mmCIF file of all heavy atoms in Angstrom:
data_model
loop_
_atom_site.group_PDB
_atom_site.id
_atom_site.type_symbol
_atom_site.label_atom_id
_atom_site.label_comp_id
_atom_site.label_asym_id
_atom_site.label_seq_id
_atom_site.Cartn_x
_atom_site.Cartn_y
_atom_site.Cartn_z
ATOM 1 N N ALA J 1 -119.593 122.860 165.193
ATOM 2 C CA ALA J 1 -119.079 122.024 164.116
ATOM 3 C C ALA J 1 -117.676 121.546 164.488
ATOM 4 O O ALA J 1 -116.976 122.176 165.297
ATOM 5 C CB ALA J 1 -119.044 122.800 162.804
ATOM 6 N N THR J 2 -117.262 120.459 163.896
ATOM 7 C CA THR J 2 -115.960 119.880 164.256
ATOM 8 C C THR J 2 -114.828 120.883 164.053
ATOM 9 O O THR J 2 -113.930 121.011 164.897
ATOM 10 C CB THR J 2 -115.710 118.615 163.417
ATOM 11 O OG1 THR J 2 -116.778 117.685 163.653
ATOM 12 C CG2 THR J 2 -114.390 117.968 163.810
ATOM 13 N N TRP J 3 -114.874 121.620 162.947
ATOM 14 C CA TRP J 3 -113.781 122.556 162.677
ATOM 15 C C TRP J 3 -113.770 123.714 163.661
ATOM 16 O O TRP J 3 -112.723 124.332 163.892
ATOM 17 C CB TRP J 3 -113.861 123.067 161.246
ATOM 18 C CG TRP J 3 -115.025 123.997 160.990
ATOM 19 C CD1 TRP J 3 -116.262 123.650 160.568
ATOM 20 C CD2 TRP J 3 -115.034 125.426 161.144
ATOM 21 N NE1 TRP J 3 -117.064 124.764 160.452
ATOM 22 C CE2 TRP J 3 -116.326 125.870 160.794
ATOM 23 C CE3 TRP J 3 -114.081 126.363 161.545
ATOM 24 C CZ2 TRP J 3 -116.690 127.208 160.832
ATOM 25 C CZ3 TRP J 3 -114.440 127.702 161.581
ATOM 26 C CH2 TRP J 3 -115.727 128.114 161.222
ATOM 27 N N GLN J 4 -114.940 124.044 164.266
ATOM 28 C CA GLN J 4 -114.990 125.142 165.225
ATOM 29 C C GLN J 4 -114.380 124.776 166.574
ATOM 30 O O GLN J 4 -114.168 125.651 167.413
ATOM 31 C CB GLN J 4 -116.448 125.578 165.423
ATOM 32 C CG GLN J 4 -117.034 126.283 164.200
ATOM 33 C CD GLN J 4 -118.517 126.560 164.355
ATOM 34 O OE1 GLN J 4 -119.273 125.713 164.827
ATOM 35 N NE2 GLN J 4 -118.939 127.741 163.953
ATOM 36 N N LEU J 5 -114.078 123.498 166.757
ATOM 37 C CA LEU J 5 -113.471 123.066 168.013
ATOM 38 C C LEU J 5 -111.976 123.370 168.083
ATOM 39 O O LEU J 5 -111.332 123.044 169.081
ATOM 40 C CB LEU J 5 -113.696 121.563 168.210
ATOM 41 C CG LEU J 5 -115.156 121.102 168.325
ATOM 42 C CD1 LEU J 5 -115.224 119.589 168.421
ATOM 43 C CD2 LEU J 5 -115.840 121.744 169.525
ATOM 44 N N TRP J 6 -111.432 123.987 167.029
ATOM 45 C CA TRP J 6 -109.989 124.270 167.023
ATOM 46 C C TRP J 6 -109.593 125.153 168.212
ATOM 47 O O TRP J 6 -108.476 125.056 168.719
ATOM 48 C CB TRP J 6 -109.580 124.944 165.715
ATOM 49 C CG TRP J 6 -110.050 126.366 165.579
ATOM 50 C CD1 TRP J 6 -111.203 126.798 165.013
ATOM 51 C CD2 TRP J 6 -109.371 127.553 166.040
ATOM 52 N NE1 TRP J 6 -111.308 128.171 165.083
ATOM 53 C CE2 TRP J 6 -110.189 128.654 165.708
ATOM 54 C CE3 TRP J 6 -108.163 127.777 166.697
ATOM 55 C CZ2 TRP J 6 -109.832 129.959 166.013
ATOM 56 C CZ3 TRP J 6 -107.805 129.090 167.008
ATOM 57 C CH2 TRP J 6 -108.631 130.158 166.658
ATOM 58 N N TRP J 7 -110.528 126.002 168.663
ATOM 59 C CA TRP J 7 -110.208 126.890 169.777
ATOM 60 C C TRP J 7 -109.917 126.098 171.050
ATOM 61 O O TRP J 7 -109.103 126.509 171.874
ATOM 62 C CB TRP J 7 -111.361 127.865 170.014
ATOM 63 C CG TRP J 7 -111.119 128.805 171.150
ATOM 64 C CD1 TRP J 7 -111.658 128.753 172.390
ATOM 65 C CD2 TRP J 7 -110.239 129.948 171.156
ATOM 66 N NE1 TRP J 7 -111.188 129.783 173.175
ATOM 67 C CE2 TRP J 7 -110.334 130.535 172.438
ATOM 68 C CE3 TRP J 7 -109.416 130.536 170.211
ATOM 69 C CZ2 TRP J 7 -109.613 131.672 172.782
ATOM 70 C CZ3 TRP J 7 -108.701 131.671 170.569
ATOM 71 C CH2 TRP J 7 -108.795 132.227 171.835
ATOM 72 N N ALA J 8 -110.583 124.942 171.223
ATOM 73 C CA ALA J 8 -110.328 124.108 172.393
ATOM 74 C C ALA J 8 -108.895 123.589 172.404
ATOM 75 O O ALA J 8 -108.312 123.372 173.472
ATOM 76 C CB ALA J 8 -111.312 122.936 172.432
ATOM 77 N N LEU J 9 -108.317 123.386 171.218
ATOM 78 C CA LEU J 9 -106.927 122.942 171.136
ATOM 79 C C LEU J 9 -105.949 124.104 171.319
ATOM 80 O O LEU J 9 -104.857 123.931 171.856
ATOM 81 C CB LEU J 9 -106.691 122.264 169.783
ATOM 82 C CG LEU J 9 -107.618 121.081 169.458
ATOM 83 C CD1 LEU J 9 -107.306 120.541 168.063
ATOM 84 C CD2 LEU J 9 -107.492 119.991 170.504
ATOM 85 N N ALA J 10 -106.351 125.281 170.861
ATOM 86 C CA ALA J 10 -105.464 126.444 170.962
ATOM 87 C C ALA J 10 -105.445 127.039 172.367
ATOM 88 O O ALA J 10 -104.430 127.593 172.800
ATOM 89 C CB ALA J 10 -105.896 127.513 169.955
ATOM 90 N N LEU J 11 -106.574 126.939 173.090
ATOM 91 C CA LEU J 11 -106.679 127.610 174.390
ATOM 92 C C LEU J 11 -105.622 127.153 175.394
ATOM 93 O O LEU J 11 -104.996 128.008 176.044
ATOM 94 C CB LEU J 11 -108.085 127.426 174.963
ATOM 95 C CG LEU J 11 -108.352 128.113 176.298
ATOM 96 C CD1 LEU J 11 -108.135 129.615 176.197
ATOM 97 C CD2 LEU J 11 -109.775 127.819 176.783
ATOM 98 N N PRO J 12 -105.373 125.857 175.583
ATOM 99 C CA PRO J 12 -104.321 125.479 176.545
ATOM 100 C C PRO J 12 -102.956 126.062 176.195
ATOM 101 O O PRO J 12 -102.206 126.482 177.091
ATOM 102 C CB PRO J 12 -104.313 123.948 176.468
ATOM 103 C CG PRO J 12 -105.668 123.581 175.971
ATOM 104 C CD PRO J 12 -106.054 124.668 175.036
ATOM 105 N N LEU J 13 -102.631 126.095 174.908
ATOM 106 C CA LEU J 13 -101.359 126.686 174.494
ATOM 107 C C LEU J 13 -101.324 128.176 174.792
ATOM 108 O O LEU J 13 -100.318 128.705 175.293
ATOM 109 C CB LEU J 13 -101.131 126.426 173.004
ATOM 110 C CG LEU J 13 -99.840 126.979 172.411
ATOM 111 C CD1 LEU J 13 -98.628 126.339 173.087
ATOM 112 C CD2 LEU J 13 -99.792 126.731 170.902
ATOM 113 N N LEU J 14 -102.433 128.870 174.517
ATOM 114 C CA LEU J 14 -102.496 130.302 174.810
ATOM 115 C C LEU J 14 -102.354 130.558 176.304
ATOM 116 O O LEU J 14 -101.663 131.499 176.720
ATOM 117 C CB LEU J 14 -103.819 130.874 174.302
ATOM 118 C CG LEU J 14 -103.994 130.968 172.790
ATOM 119 C CD1 LEU J 14 -105.390 131.467 172.449
ATOM 120 C CD2 LEU J 14 -102.949 131.897 172.181
ATOM 121 N N LEU J 15 -103.004 129.742 177.113
ATOM 122 C CA LEU J 15 -102.898 129.908 178.569
ATOM 123 C C LEU J 15 -101.462 129.707 179.040
ATOM 124 O O LEU J 15 -100.958 130.489 179.866
ATOM 125 C CB LEU J 15 -103.827 128.908 179.269
ATOM 126 C CG LEU J 15 -105.328 129.171 179.161
ATOM 127 C CD1 LEU J 15 -106.114 127.968 179.673
ATOM 128 C CD2 LEU J 15 -105.712 130.421 179.942
ATOM 129 N N ALA J 16 -100.787 128.686 178.508
ATOM 130 C CA ALA J 16 -99.419 128.404 178.930
ATOM 131 C C ALA J 16 -98.469 129.529 178.514
ATOM 132 O O ALA J 16 -97.634 129.986 179.313
ATOM 133 C CB ALA J 16 -98.962 127.071 178.343
ATOM 134 N N VAL J 17 -98.580 129.987 177.264
ATOM 135 C CA VAL J 17 -97.691 131.046 176.773
ATOM 136 C C VAL J 17 -97.957 132.348 177.514
ATOM 137 O O VAL J 17 -97.020 133.063 177.912
ATOM 138 C CB VAL J 17 -97.869 131.225 175.257
ATOM 139 C CG1 VAL J 17 -97.099 132.446 174.764
ATOM 140 C CG2 VAL J 17 -97.414 129.971 174.523
ATOM 141 N N ALA J 18 -99.244 132.680 177.713
ATOM 142 C CA ALA J 18 -99.577 133.924 178.409
ATOM 143 C C ALA J 18 -99.076 133.894 179.851
ATOM 144 O O ALA J 18 -98.552 134.898 180.359
ATOM 145 C CB ALA J 18 -101.082 134.147 178.375
ATOM 146 N N ALA J 19 -99.215 132.746 180.512
ATOM 147 C CA ALA J 19 -98.735 132.642 181.890
ATOM 148 C C ALA J 19 -97.218 132.754 181.949
ATOM 149 O O ALA J 19 -96.664 133.447 182.823
ATOM 150 C CB ALA J 19 -99.197 131.314 182.494
ATOM 151 N N ALA J 20 -96.521 132.102 181.027
ATOM 152 C CA ALA J 20 -95.056 132.125 181.043
ATOM 153 C C ALA J 20 -94.522 133.523 180.772
ATOM 154 O O ALA J 20 -93.604 133.992 181.464
ATOM 155 C CB ALA J 20 -94.519 131.139 180.005
ATOM 156 N N THR J 21 -95.063 134.201 179.779
ATOM 157 C CA THR J 21 -94.575 135.550 179.456
ATOM 158 C C THR J 21 -94.898 136.539 180.570
ATOM 159 O O THR J 21 -94.091 137.423 180.886
ATOM 160 C CB THR J 21 -95.177 136.025 178.127
ATOM 161 O OG1 THR J 21 -96.613 135.942 178.191
ATOM 162 C CG2 THR J 21 -94.683 135.180 176.971
ATOM 163 N N ALA J 22 -96.089 136.414 181.165
ATOM 164 C CA ALA J 22 -96.438 137.320 182.261
ATOM 165 C C ALA J 22 -95.549 137.072 183.477
ATOM 166 O O ALA J 22 -95.080 138.018 184.124
ATOM 167 C CB ALA J 22 -97.909 137.147 182.627
ATOM 168 N N TRP J 23 -95.305 135.811 183.789
ATOM 169 C CA TRP J 23 -94.442 135.491 184.925
ATOM 170 C C TRP J 23 -93.031 136.019 184.698
ATOM 171 O O TRP J 23 -92.405 136.573 185.625
ATOM 172 C CB TRP J 23 -94.422 133.986 185.143
ATOM 173 C CG TRP J 23 -93.418 133.543 186.175
ATOM 174 C CD1 TRP J 23 -92.216 132.943 185.950
ATOM 175 C CD2 TRP J 23 -93.527 133.699 187.591
ATOM 176 N NE1 TRP J 23 -91.564 132.701 187.122
ATOM 177 C CE2 TRP J 23 -92.345 133.158 188.165
ATOM 178 C CE3 TRP J 23 -94.486 134.237 188.431
ATOM 179 C CZ2 TRP J 23 -92.131 133.145 189.532
ATOM 180 C CZ3 TRP J 23 -94.267 134.226 189.802
ATOM 181 C CH2 TRP J 23 -93.099 133.678 190.333
ATOM 182 N N ARG J 24 -92.539 135.855 183.489
ATOM 183 C CA ARG J 24 -91.200 136.354 183.182
ATOM 184 C C ARG J 24 -91.137 137.864 183.343
ATOM 185 O O ARG J 24 -90.143 138.397 183.863
ATOM 186 C CB ARG J 24 -90.826 135.952 181.761
ATOM 187 C CG ARG J 24 -89.425 136.362 181.350
ATOM 188 C CD ARG J 24 -89.133 135.915 179.934
ATOM 189 N NE ARG J 24 -87.810 136.344 179.496
ATOM 190 C CZ ARG J 24 -87.316 136.153 178.278
ATOM 191 N NH1 ARG J 24 -88.064 135.530 177.370
ATOM 192 N NH2 ARG J 24 -86.108 136.571 177.963
ATOM 193 N N ALA J 25 -92.198 138.554 182.936
ATOM 194 C CA ALA J 25 -92.206 140.018 183.059
ATOM 195 C C ALA J 25 -92.259 140.453 184.521
ATOM 196 O O ALA J 25 -91.691 141.489 184.884
ATOM 197 C CB ALA J 25 -93.387 140.600 182.297
ATOM 198 N N THR J 26 -92.924 139.687 185.369
ATOM 199 C CA THR J 26 -92.979 140.063 186.786
ATOM 200 C C THR J 26 -91.637 139.901 187.477
ATOM 201 O O THR J 26 -91.385 140.534 188.506
ATOM 202 C CB THR J 26 -94.026 139.209 187.537
ATOM 203 O OG1 THR J 26 -93.649 137.831 187.464
ATOM 204 C CG2 THR J 26 -95.411 139.408 186.961
ATOM 205 N N ARG J 27 -90.759 139.055 186.912
ATOM 206 C CA ARG J 27 -89.462 138.812 187.531
ATOM 207 C C ARG J 27 -88.409 139.827 187.118
ATOM 208 O O ARG J 27 -87.309 139.834 187.671
ATOM 209 C CB ARG J 27 -88.945 137.399 187.185
ATOM 210 C CG ARG J 27 -89.932 136.282 187.471
ATOM 211 C CD ARG J 27 -90.465 136.356 188.886
ATOM 212 N NE ARG J 27 -89.410 136.175 189.873
ATOM 213 C CZ ARG J 27 -89.558 136.349 191.163
ATOM 214 N NH1 ARG J 27 -90.724 136.765 191.633
ATOM 215 N NH2 ARG J 27 -88.545 136.148 191.985
ATOM 216 N N ARG J 28 -88.729 140.665 186.156
ATOM 217 C CA ARG J 28 -87.762 141.674 185.744
ATOM 218 C C ARG J 28 -87.615 142.732 186.835
ATOM 219 O O ARG J 28 -88.594 143.128 187.456
ATOM 220 C CB ARG J 28 -88.206 142.347 184.447
ATOM 221 C CG ARG J 28 -88.191 141.424 183.235
ATOM 222 C CD ARG J 28 -88.800 142.110 182.043
ATOM 223 N NE ARG J 28 -88.898 141.206 180.908
ATOM 224 C CZ ARG J 28 -89.622 141.445 179.825
ATOM 225 N NH1 ARG J 28 -90.326 142.570 179.746
ATOM 226 N NH2 ARG J 28 -89.666 140.574 178.847
ATOM 227 N N PRO J 29 -86.408 143.229 187.052
ATOM 228 C CA PRO J 29 -86.237 144.272 188.073
ATOM 229 C C PRO J 29 -86.926 145.551 187.647
ATOM 230 O O PRO J 29 -86.977 145.879 186.456
ATOM 231 C CB PRO J 29 -84.714 144.458 188.131
ATOM 232 C CG PRO J 29 -84.218 143.963 186.812
ATOM 233 C CD PRO J 29 -85.129 142.847 186.409
ATOM 234 N N PRO J 30 -87.522 146.268 188.582
ATOM 235 C CA PRO J 30 -88.212 147.511 188.237
ATOM 236 C C PRO J 30 -87.242 148.564 187.741
ATOM 237 O O PRO J 30 -86.040 148.525 188.021
ATOM 238 C CB PRO J 30 -88.869 147.935 189.555
ATOM 239 C CG PRO J 30 -88.019 147.298 190.607
ATOM 240 C CD PRO J 30 -87.532 145.999 190.020
#
């Protein structure tokens, strides 16, 4: 249904935020 397509709009944002936060965490000194 049209309203169920909201996940397609949210997924790119989730991918970008998850990648940015994970990358930032990898750069922290141990």
Side-chain angles (χ1 to χ4, degrees):
T2 302
W3 70 269
Q4 290 173 317
L5 298 176
W6 72 268
W7 179 256
L9 304 178
L11 182 59
L13 180 62
L14 290 176
L15 289 169
V17 172
T21 55
W23 172 255
R24 183 180 178 184
T26 61
R27 308 308 297 171
R28 293 173 185 166

